Amino acid sequence: MIKPEWFVNFPWFDGKNSRVLRDLVFLLTLGLAASSALATELKPFEIIWRADSGVAADMSFLLDAPAGKGGFIQIKDGHLATSDGRRFRIWGVNLSFVGSLPDKENAPPYAAHLARFGVNCVRIHHLDWRTPRGIIDSRYPDSRHLDPENLDRLDFFISELKKRGIYVNLNLNVARAFQEGDGVKDAGKLRFAKALTLFDPRMIALEKEYAKQILAHLDPYTKSEYRNEPAVALVELVNENSIIESWVAGRLRGKGTAPGQTDSTWTDIPESYARDLDMLWAKAGHTGPRLQPEDFLTATPQRFQAEAAFYMELERKFFLDMQEYLKRELGVKVPIVGTSVHNGGMSGYPLLTSTSLLDVVDAHVYWQHPRYFVEGPTSKRGFEIRNTPMVSQPEQSTIVTLNRSAFAGKPFTVSEINHPYPNEYGAEGLPIIAAYGSFQDWDGVFWYSFSHEEPANWVSKYPSHFDIRQDPVKMSQLAACAAIFLRGDVAASKQVHTRTYSSE
C-alpha cells in the first residue's frame, strides 16, 4: 500500500502540491495493482499501437507540431529554449539499433503511437552498427559506407516524427566496430574502442567523417540536411566514453580483452594503444610509467593529480575540437552534448570538467542495473538483479546520483534512466523522476529504452531488461508523467543551492 504520509518529507511537498501528490499516489497504486493482476491471472497483454482514433488517453496535445516549426532549439538563461525564447523540455525515449529504422508502412503509426504517450523527442541510439542492426553497410571491408536502404528508413521515420511534433537527438559514435579497411591499428581487437576514440588521431578523423556523412546528409522527405533541420534538438558526440574512467577501471593497461570475456563494451585497450598513451605521457614532460589502479594508494597526491590532469586534458581537447568541427565546419546549429556522466561507482567531476565546456551536461543512471555473468561449467550467460524499492534508500537513489552532475548555468538532461525489468518496484520510477526532474528544473529525460526492435518484429512479451514498449505500468505512466514534466504540474524549486569542489 502506498501511504500519502510517506511523501510528506519530500522537499517539493509543501502542502500546495497536494493535487500532484494525490495523482502520484494514484499512479503508483495503479501501477502496483496492474502488476499484481498480471502476476496472478497471467493473461497475455498487448498494447495496441496502431490505433489512430478513439484512444481514451491521448497526450499528443502537449506536443507542438511540427517539430522545429519556428526554428532551432537554442539555449537561453541556462536552459533549452525554442527559437522564440520559450522554455523547451524533453520528455523522451531511446530508440536503439533498428528501433530507429522501421519500414515505411509502420513508420507513420509508430510515430503517432509515441506522440500519444507525450513523447516529444527520441534519442537515435546505437545507429552506428553494421547492417542489419544499423546503418553502416556491412558489404564493405570498412565502416565508412552507409547502407542506402537503412538510411532511407531513418530519413522517412524522422520526417514522420517531425510531423507529429517529435524532435530527434542524433548520436554519433556509440558502438562503431572499426574494420581493417579503416586504416586503424589492431582493428580486430578493438571491440567498441572505448577511450581510444577520444585520443587516437585516425579514429578521430573517422569520427569527423561519419559526423559529416550524417549531419550533411539531405533527408529527401523533409528536404533539409540534418545540420539544417530544426527537428534535430541535440547532437551527442560519444556515448559513455571517458579516458579517465577507463584509467580508474584499469582499462588502459594494454592487455586487451581478457580470456573468456564476453562483454564487448568495457574491455582493456590493446597493447599498441597503451604504447601510444605512454608516448603522449612522455611528450607531455612526464617520466616513469603511468599509474595503474593498484598504484593509486601508494602514489603521492601530486603524482596522482598529474596523471589525472593528463587524461582530463586529452578529454577536454577531444570534446572542444569535435564541437568546433561540428559548429564551425559543418554548421550545426543546435546544442552539442559531449558524453554522459555514467558511472555511479566513481566521481563524475573529472569528466564534468570537460563535458561542462560544451552546451549541455548529460547523465545516465539506472536503479539496480542487472549484473551479467557467464556460468563456468556451461558457459551460459546469466544475470542477477537486486529487487528493493528506491524509496527505501533515498541516499542511493537515482535522484541523488543525478543531482551530482547538474551544472550551474547549463541545461541538464538525463539521456538514459530506468528501473530495469524485472524489478518489482518499477512503478516508482517514472512518477518520482518526473516530479523531482521538474522540481530540480531539468531540461530533459530520455527513458531507456522504448525499443531495440522495429515494429514489424514486435511481439507481445516483455522484450528485455530495458524496453518499456510492452510494459502496461510504465507505458501508462509515461503518458501521465508527460503532463507532470512538460506541462509543469510540479513547480521548479524557488531556491537554487550551488556548490563547488576542489581538485582533491
Side-chain angles (χ1 to χ4, degrees), residues 106-403:
N106 287 316
Y110 187 3
H113 181 58
L114 292 170
R116 284 194 295 273
F117 282 86
V119 170
N120 71 342
C121 190
V122 298
R123 183 172 181 246
I124 306 294
H125 194 50
H126 277 293
L127 194 64
D128 57 342
W129 281 70
R130 295 170 71 77
T131 53
R133 298 190 79 186
I135 64 167
I136 293 180
D137 198 331
S138 59
R139 294 174 297 181
Y140 292 86
D142 56 43
S143 62
R144 302 175 65 185
H145 293 80
L146 304 186
D147 179 73
E149 179 181 349
N150 278 0
L151 186 57
D152 185 63
R153 284 188 172 205
L154 176 69
D155 291 338
F156 184 72
F157 185 42
I158 287 177
S159 72
E160 291 298 312
L161 293 169
K162 177 180 179 177
K163 290 177 185 177
R164 292 160 179 82
I166 301 176
Y167 290 78
V168 296
N169 170 0
L170 292 176
N171 292 190
L172 298 179
N173 180 274
V174 178
R176 184 176 181 177
F178 291 103
Q179 306 295 308
E180 294 293 343
D182 291 324
V184 300
K185 294 180 301 188
D186 293 327
K189 301 178 181 179
L190 297 180
R191 301 294 181 98
F192 287 177
K194 293 292 188 185
L196 304 180
T197 58
L198 304 186
F199 73 86
D200 180 72
R202 178 57 182 164
M203 291 186 195
I204 293 172
L206 291 170
E207 291 175 79
K208 290 181 177 179
E209 178 185 72
Y210 178 79
K212 185 174 182 179
Q213 286 177 300
I214 296 295
L215 297 170
H217 169 70
L218 177 69
D219 185 328
Y221 305 101
T222 63
K223 302 295 192 297
S224 64
E225 297 173 342
Y226 287 123
R227 60 184 171 184
N228 297 321
E229 174 52 66
V232 174
L234 301 169
V235 176
E236 290 185 29
L237 299 181
V238 295
N239 176 69
E240 295 190 353
N241 200 339
S242 167
I243 305 175
I244 196 164
E245 180 213 2
S246 296
W247 176 51
V248 171
R251 297 196 296 266
L252 300 181
R253 300 175 186 273
K255 298 185 181 299
T257 306
Q261 183 170 350
T262 59
D263 188 341
S264 296
T265 307
W266 312 115
T267 59
D268 192 2
I269 63 175
E271 182 183 5
S272 59
Y273 291 94
R275 289 197 300 268
D276 290 344
L277 276 177
D278 291 339
M279 288 188 290
L280 289 171
W281 173 248
K283 186 177 179 180
H286 299 289
T287 59
R290 294 180 294 112
L291 296 175
Q292 300 301 335
E294 58 269 23
D295 305 322
F296 290 173
L297 291 179
T298 56
T300 65
Q302 294 80 9
R303 175 65 182 81
F304 179 87
Q305 291 285 348
E307 190 160 345
F310 166 70
Y311 297 121
M312 290 162 64
E313 174 59 20
L314 290 177
E315 291 184 343
R316 187 194 68 84
K317 180 180 178 182
F318 169 81
F319 288 121
L320 292 181
D321 176 60
M322 284 295 294
Q323 178 175 250
E324 178 78 6
Y325 176 74
L326 262 61
K327 291 201 169 185
R328 303 301 179 193
E329 295 196 37
L330 296 185
V332 173
K333 300 173 178 62
V334 298
I336 306 294
V337 181
T339 192
S340 62
V341 176
H342 55 276
N343 188 336
M346 65 170 283
S347 171
Y349 301 127
L351 181 56
L352 274 171
T353 62
S354 57
T355 59
S356 63
L357 299 175
L358 278 69
D359 298 319
V360 176
V361 171
D362 186 72
H364 293 174
V365 69
Y366 295 87
W367 176 249
Q368 300 183 344
H369 192 291
R371 185 186 73 83
Y372 300 102
F373 58 86
V374 177
E375 294 179 347
T378 63
S379 296
K380 291 182 179 180
R381 296 195 68 182
F383 74 92
E384 294 177 343
I385 189 168
R386 295 179 62 203
N387 190 36
T388 61
M390 187 171 70
V391 293
S392 297
Q393 298 169 268
E395 292 183 359
Q396 286 77 46
S397 68
T398 56
I399 297 297
V400 169
T401 301
L402 290 168
N403 188 50

Side-chain angles (χ1 to χ4, degrees), residues 94-116:
N94 281 262
L95 304 179
S96 297
F97 305 106
V98 292
S100 301
L101 306 172
D103 59 51
K104 291 184 179 178
E105 177 185 357
N106 287 316
Y110 187 3
H113 181 58
L114 292 170
R116 284 194 295 273

Side-chain angles (χ1 to χ4, degrees), residues 7 29 32 60 68 71 89 115 190 216 227 337 355 384 388 399 404 447 456 464 483 496-497:
F7 293 88
T29 306
L32 292 172
S60 61
R89 270 184 168 168
L190 297 180
R227 60 184 171 184
V337 181
T355 59
E384 294 177 343
T388 61
I399 297 297
R404 299 187 185 113
W447 293 92
S464 72
V496 176
H497 298 275

Side-chain angles (χ1 to χ4, degrees), residues 73-88 335 359 409-411 443:
I73 297 301
Q74 58 180 325
I75 296 175
K76 180 182 178 182
D77 299 328
H79 289 290
L80 298 180
T82 58
S83 58
D84 59 1
R86 290 179 293 120
R87 180 71 183 275
F88 178 71
D359 298 319
K410 293 283 183 176
D443 291 85

